Amino acid sequence: AGAGLRSQIKLIASGKVYNGFSLVRCLALGADLCNSARGMMFSLGCIQALKCNSNKCPTGITTQDPNLESALNVGVKSLRVANFHAATIQAACEIIAAAGCRKSADIGPQHLMRRESGIHVKSYGDMHNEY
């Protein structure tokens, strides 16, 4: 359907990809891969002070001010980011396996469910077929 270009392009999803489920949701809806900035920033220690562009980041992450950047212990933070990434991938793999799929390419919108009310549940596939 469409222009027939899907086999020639890669779809990269981003935006609120911060845990295993959000990663799997993007893959199930057709993404080939995902970017995750928010989760990585949180694991690094971001407190969302909204001072990223001012060179006044209190955690030292987005500053070049020597006094502020000294708060960023790269050795410790890099380990935290690596652990968060590994745990996120592990959670995504567990969700994919729980859906009965062997690899991430097998997951589709029919595998994920969303509760619409106290008693009504729909698959993502059913929700997107309504458009």
Side-chain angles (χ1 to χ4, degrees):
L5 297 174
R6 184 62 178 100
S7 63
Q8 299 173 40
I9 61 168
K10 296 294 180 198
L11 183 62
I12 304 171
S14 64
K16 296 192 179 180
V17 179
Y18 51 86
N19 61 21
F21 178 76
S22 57
L23 176 64
V24 172
R25 181 186 62 223
C26 291
L27 296 174
L29 293 176
D32 294 302
L33 59 115
C34 299
N35 288 333
S36 176
R38 180 182 307 254
M40 297 302 163
M41 289 297 287
F42 285 157
S43 69
L44 193 55
C46 175
I47 59 170
Q48 292 189 310
L50 304 177
K51 299 204 181 271
C52 305
N53 63 338
S54 69
N55 205 31
K56 302 286 183 205
C57 172
T59 61
I61 297 170
T62 62
T63 186
Q64 293 184 14
D65 180 330
N67 293 326
L68 293 172
E69 80 177 5
S70 65
L72 185 65
N73 183 329
V74 176
V76 171
K77 299 295 184 167
S78 63
L79 184 58
R80 286 179 57 184
V81 171
N83 289 340
F84 176 78
H85 183 260
T88 301
I89 298 301
Q90 179 64 34
C93 290
E94 289 173 5
I95 293 167
I96 290 167
C101 300
R102 290 192 170 273
K103 56 188 188 283
S104 61
D106 295 340
I107 195 93
Q110 70 280 7
H111 293 105
L112 299 181
M113 307 301 280
R114 180 182 173 131
R115 182 172 304 282
E116 293 199 323
S117 69
I119 59 171
H120 294 101
V121 177
K122 281 188 176 178
S123 75
Y124 276 72
D126 290 339
M127 290 186 327
H128 291 283
N129 284 334
E130 294 175 359
Y131 296 118

